[in-house]
Amino acid sequence: MTRIKRLHWGDWLILAGIAGVCVFLVLRVQGTLEYKWRWGDIPRYILAYDASTHAWFANMLLQGLLMTLRISIFASVLALILGIVLGLGRTARSLAVRLLARTYLELLRNVPPVVIIFIFYFFLSAPLIDALRIDFWARAIARSDHAAVWTFFFGDMRRFSQLVSGTIVLALFESAFVGEIVRAGIESVGRGQREAANSIGMTHFQSMRFIILPQAMRKIMPPMANQFIMLIKDSSIVSLISVQELTFKTLELVSSTRMIFEGWLTAAAFYFVISFSFSRYFARKERKFRLSP
Amino acid sequence: MTHSPGKPVIRARSLNKYYGDFHALKDVSLDVGEGERLVICGPSGSGKSTLIRCFNALEFHQSGTLSVGGIEVHEDSREIIRLRQEVGMVFQQFNLFPHLTVLENLTIGPTKVLKVPQAEAEAAARLYLGRVHIPDQADKYPHQLSGGQQQRVAIARSLCMKSRVILFDEPTSALDPEMINEVLDVMVELADTGMTMVVVTHEMGFARKVADRVVFMAEGEILEIDTPESFFRNPKTARGRDFLDKILQH
């Protein structure tokens, strides 16, 4: 099948139709709901100027975006570690280990994410944060001298425990999918490699560490990058446990200012820009990676 | 030249192995002496590969006894790792590690398993690369080498482990014809150093040249064990005659 690379008159017709529908929807919103668009107000909810301190500061939407990025990055790292453990568990020799890993996976696959998030939050992350007295510790840092460094990496330290629970909950949730990717990667390494590793006297652990995992990692890069983008989008569910990321902040903005359409469209644009840039970046990396040995 | 085998390194008694209902090894008994060069031949599916894969515990027999280098081989043995350090294996498909350079392929075993210092392992690796006639390919990756070169790297990898015995599982079957001899030449030279070798192969020229004894297997059984001269000139069984007719008719 050859792909047509030019638009024909029929295509223009379709595009015009779609544009028409969009215009109709916008007009309807304005007409029947008597909605007053206030796009001009949006920028100051991203960046605002504080007249008393003469400084620009990140307002709600940008704060939310930064929190989303922080949570996504921390959760990805944690999910990767947990996922590798899970993937190894899925391919382990011991039946008990395989059963445990499989059970975890199936539970996560067959329960809706929102329910899982609440369960993880109330059963795991909340008690953990209490037990480790993370709140107490974070507040002490917020008052200390090098609060700025901590704030750069972790956001407002007074909300540190939220970042921790968001990260833990999201990582636990995503680790199941990462685990499946790792398992597929491990299984894609041929039996001959394992036998060759065995025949030079490597233990199971050594052959995993030096032979199987390094090869599996190369193969799982593309699906892993994809999962990272999924994770950024999935991070919006942690707004349900009051983690102040982009979705939570947008909700807050919308309910206090009534800029329903502007607020959500801006949030959508933010998510799209992050996800799409990462996806283009990974696609380019992958192409380069495939060309090199 | 017939070599009188020393005390047995491999000692198999009445080995039986099944894959489900398929009886892969039937009452196989065999001794391989220190320094002996043994060639195992037979039609495909005769259990040759299965037998040598039992020798380094890549597979396990279900009944009978097998001792290799003084270690009893069975599935729950704690000494399997030690056993595999004593017995090298060269595979039909080479099975080099594609993510490592040639040099790293040779040093990873010694450094990680035998805990040899890196510099020492590299020196040994370069020595053995010279021995298999590819001293200048150390920094390439396996996919940059020809099949014959890859198989010679695989042989060097076994040598680097200072194995007492090297098993060859059809080492030339996956090679283009013009590369077979460069691998066989290396194996002949290796035989001349007195290495104990068990070779599953259809290369009868090689068998004639270096084998002390030839084992002929069919359908999981050992039908003949003989010197190469006598096996090739005058096979004792009808199956053996039939096999030789088929592979030597060209």
Side-chain angles (χ1 to χ4, degrees):
Chain A
M1 191 185 77
T2 56
R3 289 182 177 189
I4 302 164
K5 298 215 166 167
R6 284 182 57 181
L7 292 171
H8 288 268
W9 66 268
D11 304 319
W12 287 111
L13 207 66
I14 296 171
L15 292 177
I18 295 171
V21 172
C22 291
V23 169
F24 170 74
L25 285 175
V26 171
L27 289 176
R28 216 182 103 85
V29 166
Q30 248 161 341
T32 55
L33 298 177
E34 288 181 26
Y35 191 80
K36 274 183 70 184
W37 295 89
R38 287 149 58 203
W39 279 110
D41 288 348
I42 285 292
R44 67 190 169 86
Y45 287 102
I46 299 172
L47 261 183
Y49 187 72
D50 187 338
S52 63
T53 59
H54 304 287
W56 289 92
F57 65 98
N59 208 349
M60 293 164 93
L61 289 175
L62 189 55
Q63 284 172 14
L65 179 69
L66 293 175
M67 192 61 156
T68 291
L69 284 173
R70 288 192 186 103
I71 287 196
S72 301
I73 291 166
F74 296 143
S76 305
V77 174
L78 190 57
L80 183 66
I81 296 167
L82 292 173
I84 290 175
V85 172
L86 198 61
L88 288 173
R90 290 272 280 137
T91 53
R93 269 220 297 253
S94 146
L95 179 64
V97 174
R98 285 205 309 274
L99 278 177
L100 276 175
R102 181 72 191 269
T103 308
Y104 182 71
L105 173 82
E106 293 297 347
L107 281 176
L108 283 180
R109 254 190 195 162
N110 294 295
V111 176
V114 176
V115 177
I116 290 174
I117 295 294
F118 277 121
I119 292 177
F120 276 152
Y121 179 62
F122 287 115
F123 284 87
L124 278 170
S125 125
L128 192 70
I129 283 167
D130 275 352
L132 296 178
R133 296 167 49 91
I134 285 176
D135 243 341
F136 172 80
W137 181 73
R139 272 167 212 280
I141 288 172
R143 285 190 302 270
S144 73
D145 297 335
H146 22 257
V149 185
W150 287 80
T151 308
F152 177 76
F153 286 107
F154 304 111
D156 189 348
M157 283 310 285
R158 283 165 303 176
R159 300 219 180 78
F160 183 69
S161 64
Q162 287 177 352
L163 176 72
V164 172
S165 30
T167 302
I168 293 176
V169 163
L170 196 59
L172 284 172
F173 176 64
E174 297 288 334
S175 66
F177 305 99
V178 175
E180 277 309 271
I181 295 171
V182 172
R183 178 188 65 83
I186 290 174
E187 284 173 358
S188 76
V189 178
R191 199 179 61 158
Q193 290 293 309
R194 213 158 308 200
E195 290 183 348
N198 284 341
S199 77
I200 56 172
M202 285 195 174
T203 61
H204 182 72
F205 177 79
Q206 285 172 327
S207 77
M208 271 294 166
R209 163 86 178 71
F210 300 115
I211 307 299
I212 310 294
L213 276 182
Q215 293 184 55
M217 283 303 162
R218 286 181 162 223
K219 290 186 185 164
I220 65 188
M221 277 327 218
M224 211 59 119
N226 194 35
Q227 191 62 39
F228 173 66
I229 292 164
M230 292 292 290
L231 183 143
I232 295 177
K233 291 184 288 170
D234 288 344
S235 73
S236 75
I237 9 176
V238 297
S239 62
L240 290 171
I241 53 172
S242 303
V243 179
Q244 310 216 338
E245 44 66 80
L246 183 54
T247 302
F248 186 91
K249 286 291 193 186
T250 309
L251 207 58
E252 216 175 58
L253 174 80
V254 165
S255 52
S256 62
T257 64
R258 308 238 162 252
M259 294 195 289
I260 304 169
F261 292 96
E262 297 91 329
W264 287 116
L265 286 174
T266 309
F270 278 2
Y271 279 118
F272 181 84
V273 168
I274 320 177
S275 301
F276 193 68
S277 343
F278 272 119
S279 135
R280 297 316 303 158
Y281 172 74
F282 289 141
R284 176 151 357 132
K285 278 266 155 187
E286 198 191 326
R287 220 170 303 135
K288 250 196 213 152
F289 197 66
R290 229 184 286 143
L291 293 177
S292 69
Chain B
M1 162 192 92
T2 309
H3 172 102
S4 68
K7 64 177 171 43
V9 197
I10 300 175
R11 197 181 171 85
R13 289 288 173 277
S14 314
L15 297 187
N16 280 286
K17 175 161 184 67
Y18 301 84
Y19 294 109
D21 287 339
F22 179 68
H23 200 167
L25 292 179
K26 296 175 187 160
D27 264 331
V28 171
S29 297
L30 181 66
D31 281 352
V32 182
E34 187 93 58
E36 189 178 10
R37 276 86 62 159
L38 192 77
V39 164
I40 305 180
C41 63
S44 55
S46 59
K48 319 172 292 263
S49 291
T50 307
L51 180 63
I52 68 163
R53 287 164 60 86
C54 286
F55 290 168
N56 75 339
L58 287 179
E59 315 235 0
F60 294 95
H61 55 280
Q62 277 126 3
S63 72
T65 58
L66 173 61
S67 103
V68 178
I71 300 167
E72 287 300 317
V73 185
H74 54 86
E75 206 150 355
D76 323 302
S77 171
R78 284 155 186 264
E79 294 189 287
I80 282 173
I81 300 296
R82 196 161 67 81
L83 162 87
R84 286 175 179 155
Q85 291 167 19
E86 307 254 309
V87 183
M89 173 80 124
V90 174
F91 298 90
Q92 185 177 352
Q93 301 295 340
F94 331 135
N95 294 351
L96 294 180
F97 306 129
H99 60 303
L100 302 178
T101 63
V102 165
L103 193 68
E104 289 165 340
N105 262 278
L106 300 192
T107 55
I108 193 154
T111 54
K112 305 298 178 195
V113 176
L114 304 177
K115 313 289 180 201
V116 174
Q118 184 69 29
E120 200 180 304
E122 276 184 26
R126 290 187 192 277
L127 175 80
Y128 287 119
L129 277 180
R131 184 100 46 98
V132 298
H133 312 302
I134 32 177
D136 43 6
Q137 312 280 7
D139 299 319
K140 290 196 177 164
Y141 283 90
H143 72 95
Q144 295 170 299
L145 304 184
S146 72
Q149 289 174 323
Q150 289 191 44
Q151 193 60 298
R152 287 184 281 151
V153 173
I155 293 172
R157 180 170 67 182
S158 283
L159 291 173
C160 284
M161 288 300 292
K162 303 265 190 283
S163 310
R164 286 175 69 187
V165 183
I166 299 186
L167 310 171
F168 294 80
D169 189 0
E170 306 208 24
T172 56
S173 301
L175 294 175
D176 291 336
E178 75 271 22
M179 293 173 183
I180 290 177
N181 280 329
E182 63 186 53
V183 171
L184 290 179
D185 288 346
V186 165
M187 289 168 62
V188 171
E189 289 164 23
L190 186 60
D192 290 340
T193 66
M195 172 63 79
T196 311
M197 296 162 73
V198 179
V199 186
V200 170
T201 186
H202 290 154
E203 295 296 330
M204 291 304 129
F206 172 80
R208 233 187 264 268
K209 206 173 200 172
V210 305
D212 297 310
R213 288 187 297 161
V214 173
V215 172
F216 173 67
M217 290 182 74
E219 289 171 14
E221 271 178 294
I222 292 184
L223 295 184
E224 298 192 36
I225 304 181
D226 213 336
T227 60
E229 301 85 61
S230 130
F231 174 68
F232 289 122
R233 196 167 307 139
N234 185 20
K236 293 187 199 68
T237 59
R239 295 294 302 267
R241 218 168 300 134
D242 192 41
F243 173 74
L244 286 179
D245 282 348
K246 276 186 187 133
I247 78 170
L248 297 177
Q249 65 186 323
H250 296 293

